[in-house]
Amino acid sequence: VDTLCINQRDILERNHQVDIMKEIYRGENPVISWLGPSSHHSPSIMALVNQVHPVDNSSRKREMILLALRYSKFNFLRAYTSILQRAYWYRTWIIQEVFSATRLFMQCGSDIVPWQALVSFQQFRTAECYDEV
């Protein structure tokens, strides 16, 4: 939407719009950030993130992820990477979206996950990797 609504060639306009984005994101509830269309089994990853997020028990989370990996018909790493390497993550002003939004959701295709679910999924994966090393 930013690309369509803001004249990207007019530096003054663009800077002005970026300045007020923080207030816009604060005022909207929820904010949905578009990651792009589904691809590389991204719906399966989004479903797994949503499924694992409410679980508090680390052993149970690990079990759920391993079970999904064992019986899935897709390459987890490729699917997960396809979400994390999208152009969205390289935009500078996503920082305002992430830190200003009261409630933030990430949408990929028609699948939506809460921002916090994606963060905690990545934190869990990172912790698991370091524990294994």
Side-chain angles (χ1 to χ4, degrees):
V1 173
D2 300 338
T3 304
L4 297 174
C5 297
I6 301 171
N7 180 355
Q8 300 295 319
R9 292 188 184 125
D10 184 338
I11 303 301
L12 288 175
E13 178 187 350
R14 190 176 69 195
N15 288 345
H16 171 72
Q17 294 298 325
V18 168
D19 286 342
I20 64 172
M21 291 302 238
K22 185 187 224 179
E23 295 307 315
I24 292 171
Y25 293 127
R26 255 193 212 131
E28 295 302 315
N29 190 12
V31 171
I32 299 175
S33 294
W34 172 249
L35 297 176
S38 296
S39 65
H40 302 294
H41 300 283
S42 57
S44 299
I45 294 296
M46 300 290 272
L48 181 60
V49 168
N50 274 325
Q51 181 184 9
V52 169
H53 179 63
V55 177
D56 288 330
N57 182 302
S58 292
S59 297
R60 178 70 184 128
K61 267 188 188 186
R62 188 178 310 107
E63 226 175 82
M64 291 168 73
I65 293 170
L66 290 173
L67 190 65
L69 295 176
R70 190 172 296 128
Y71 294 105
S72 65
K73 292 180 170 57
F74 68 95
N75 179 316
F76 173 83
L77 186 58
R78 182 175 176 204
Y80 192 64
T81 302
S82 81
I83 290 173
L84 297 180
Q85 289 183 335
R86 291 171 180 251
Y88 171 83
W89 304 110
Y90 298 96
R91 291 178 39 230
T92 304
W93 48 71
I94 69 164
I95 295 166
Q96 288 185 344
E97 290 176 32
V98 170
F99 290 105
S100 300
T102 307
R103 287 184 21 204
L104 177 63
F105 292 85
M106 309 309 286
Q107 182 170 356
C108 183
S110 61
D111 302 291
I112 298 176
V113 298
W115 165 254
Q116 193 51 49
L118 195 57
V119 169
S120 65
F121 189 83
Q122 181 59 35
Q123 287 172 333
F124 182 77
R125 287 190 62 242
T126 302
E128 288 294 302
C129 287
Y130 285 117
D131 285 348
E132 291 296 318
V133 174

